[in-house]
Amino acid sequence: MNTDTALAWLRGFAAAVDEHAAALTDLDRPIGDSDHGVNLQRGTRAVLDALDAQAPATPGAVLTTAGSTLVSTVGGASGPLFGTLLRRAGKSLGETGDADAPALAAALRAGLDGVVKLGGAQVGDATLVDALTPAVEALEAGRSVAEAADAAEQGAASTEPLVARKGRASYLGERGAGHRDPGAQSVVLLLRALAAVS
Ligand code: ADP
Ligand code: MG
């Protein structure tokens, strides 16, 4: 992944969030507060502006710029979480101008570790961690980004029967079961956008 690929990834993610904002918000309706799509859309639009204004020169800088922008512009839980994911991943890439597949896998692992440290969720708690973890594991096993995106999709689907143990959805207890976690679905969009430029 070089700087242009990283920029294309985040622009593709922003476009996907725009396209699916209403669907993401619908997922947040029964188990949350109906704002997930709107939250991410506000953040990814600000990311596009920041990338244009700052013209980061390495893939790592693209990701850290995007991550910091999400943290500072999204009010909901998803801003700090997605922001930490991208910021940690960017830091892990360092100054390299072209990250190979193992470096990308290590970067997303660093991002996932940051999300877990910040939010305290483990696999099975019905959060975005349930989609991100299998995707990172697929990349670490040497599988393609498209296969990692498929793994994320399966992880997002796996949240449907679960009772959430973290985030706003956990307030519902057993009544929250039977719904796909919106943040997990956004991780699918992030991985599909990466696959599209890989
Ligand atoms: P809010 O919950 O503040 O309204 P959003 O609706 O934008 O924020 O985002 C909700 C998503 O954030 C959830 O679907 C879940 O994937 C994710 N999330 C919330 N809390 C946590 C946490 N502690 N760890 C991991 N992910 C979390
Ligand atoms: Mg919400």
Side-chain angles (χ1 to χ4, degrees):
M1 182 170 70
N2 61 28
T3 305
D4 285 344
T5 326
L7 287 168
W9 172 21
L10 291 175
R11 291 194 177 118
F13 177 53
V17 168
D18 257 348
E19 186 184 340
H20 296 283
L24 292 171
T25 285
D26 282 347
L27 287 177
D28 198 27
R29 200 176 310 281
I31 56 169
D33 54 355
S34 313
D35 64 355
H36 181 60
V38 175
N39 283 342
L40 266 193
Q41 193 175 36
R42 184 186 316 115
T44 50
R45 284 180 176 168
V47 165
L48 293 180
D49 290 343
L51 293 176
D52 284 344
Q54 298 179 33
T58 61
V62 170
L63 298 188
T64 51
T65 299
S68 299
T69 306
L70 288 179
V71 170
S72 61
T73 56
V74 179
S78 56
L81 292 164
F82 275 88
T84 294
L85 165 61
L86 294 178
R87 206 149 65 170
R88 291 292 182 92
K91 277 204 180 123
S92 166
L93 291 180
E95 297 300 311
T96 184
D98 201 350
D100 60 10
L104 186 61
L108 289 175
R109 168 61 70 181
L112 171 58
D113 287 348
V115 167
V116 169
K117 200 170 169 197
L118 178 66
Q122 299 295 333
V123 170
D125 288 345
T127 72
L128 57 87
V129 169
D130 289 16
L132 192 54
T133 302
V136 169
E137 288 172 352
L139 293 175
E140 287 173 339
R143 292 208 274 282
S144 69
V145 181
E147 288 171 308
D150 289 344
E153 180 88 54
Q154 284 167 22
S158 79
T159 65
E160 282 173 23
L162 296 177
V163 175
R165 284 194 289 260
K166 291 286 174 188
R168 208 177 276 281
S170 65
Y171 306 162
L172 288 177
E174 297 289 333
R175 283 180 297 134
H179 304 283
R180 182 177 295 219
D181 178 68
Q185 194 58 33
S186 297
V187 167
V188 176
L189 299 182
L190 185 67
L191 268 292
R192 292 248 179 265
L194 180 57
V197 301
S198 296

